[in-house]
């Protein structure tokens, strides 16, 4: 059974540019959550998608957005990149609503903004 | 919203000793508390979890305890080994609807051979 796949693994972007990250959840999982991981802040929740709808959103500016497709794959977009956006972006897959048996994380996309 | 505090931020122990990591949460409605281990350069992986109807759970050298009244839960690792060296994250969430999982800030555990 394939795990959670995130692409690309690494990205280097320039300030002001935009970036799109992709996450394919485990087959059959309908919920995808996104987290930003930085050394000082741990895992910060960005948003969760279920059945193509954003169900929860963290405290990030509007430059951070996402979407989910009918096959449950999800993308997140960051526009007008800032140096502080440099981080590891992790997506987490779970079967869905009310599921309380833990996430399966992808390997992440490491974004560096220069 | 939920707030999870985790202590200590770093922990060094001698191989064979025990390690304890503590977390507190703010939302009394939280009822699920997973722990994740993240080795260097790897993804976080679920190692153990506990639900609010249970006070303690063990899995070999790992145990988690939950005190609902005090709103805190702890991870206990006994007979630590070098491969236990990693960053550990606690988390809290609640069932019903589309809840988000709130993570603690992590504890970097170093097991010294």
């Amino acid at each position: 059974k394939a795990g959670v796949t995130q692409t690309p693994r690494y990205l280097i972007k320039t300030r002001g540019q935009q970036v799109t990250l992709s996450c394919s959840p485990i087959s059959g999982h309908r919920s995808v959550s996104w987290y930003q991981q930085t050394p000082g802040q741990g895992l910060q929740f960005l948003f969760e998608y279920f059945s193509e709808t954003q169900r929860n959103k963290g405290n990030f500016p509007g430059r951070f957005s996402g979407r989910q497709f009918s096959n449950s794959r999800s993308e997140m977009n960051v526009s007008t990149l800032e140096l502080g956006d440099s981080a590891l972006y992790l997506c987490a897959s779970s079967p869905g609503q009310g599921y309380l048996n833990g996430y399966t994380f992808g390997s992440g996309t490491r974004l560096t903004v220069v | 919203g939920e707030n999870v505090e985790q202590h200590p931020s770093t922990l060094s122990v001698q191989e064979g000793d025990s390690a304890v990591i503590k977390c507190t949460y703010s939302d009394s409605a939280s009822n699920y508390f997973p722990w994740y281990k993240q080795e260097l350069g790897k993804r976080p992986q679920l190692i153990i979890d506990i639900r609010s109807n249970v006070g303690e759970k063990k899995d070999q050298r790992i145990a988690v305890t939950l005190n609902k009244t005090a709103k805190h839960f702890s991870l206990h690792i006994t007979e630590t080994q070098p491969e236990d060296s990693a960053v550990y994250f606690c988390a809290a969430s609640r069932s019903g609807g589309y809840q988000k999982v709130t993570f603690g800030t992590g504890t970097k555990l170093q097991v010294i051979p």
Side-chain angles (χ1 to χ4, degrees), chain B residues 24-67:
Chain B
T24 60
Y25 61 99
S26 60
D27 185 355
S28 57
S30 289
N31 57 0
Y32 176 65
F33 308 92
W35 286 86
Y36 290 83
K37 174 184 180 182
Q38 187 176 27
E39 296 177 42
L40 188 62
K42 296 188 177 180
R43 71 190 76 189
Q45 290 194 301
L46 179 69
I47 55 171
I48 194 168
D49 55 16
I50 191 167
R51 301 171 199 280
S52 59
N53 59 346
V54 175
E56 183 177 4
K57 183 177 179 181
K58 288 184 179 180
D59 183 2
Q60 300 182 337
R61 298 186 296 107
I62 294 174
V64 58
T65 58
L66 171 65
N67 182 326

Side-chain angles (χ1 to χ4, degrees), chain A:
Chain A
K1 194 174 186 182
V4 180
T5 303
Q6 288 189 249
T7 56
R9 289 295 307 277
Y10 302 94
L11 267 178
I12 299 176
K13 290 287 187 178
T14 304
R15 272 183 305 174
Q17 287 186 313
Q18 74 161 14
V19 66
T20 299
L21 313 181
S22 178
C23 172
S24 294
I26 290 172
S27 177
H29 283 195
R30 298 169 64 192
S31 173
V32 174
S33 297
W34 288 89
Y35 287 83
Q36 181 194 65
Q37 185 174 26
T38 56
Q41 298 296 318
L43 289 158
Q44 299 291 309
F45 174 75
L46 282 155
F47 26 65
E48 179 202 3
Y49 286 87
F50 178 82
S51 292
E52 303 178 63
T53 302
Q54 187 181 92
R55 303 294 182 174
N56 266 306
K57 190 176 191 303
N59 298 320
F60 279 81
R63 300 184 297 107
F64 291 80
S65 63
R67 58 178 175 169
Q68 187 179 35
F69 302 94
S70 58
N71 62 356
S72 294
R73 188 177 72 85
S74 177
E75 289 181 346
M76 68 163 280
N77 184 276
V78 188
S79 62
T80 319
L81 285 166
E82 301 177 359
L83 295 178
D85 296 334
S86 295
L88 179 67
Y89 290 88
L90 291 161
C91 79
S93 164
S94 72
Q97 181 183 4
Y99 181 73
L100 290 181
N101 280 294
Y103 286 147
T104 301
F105 281 93
S107 296
T109 294
R110 185 163 296 280
L111 172 64
T112 302
V113 182
V114 297

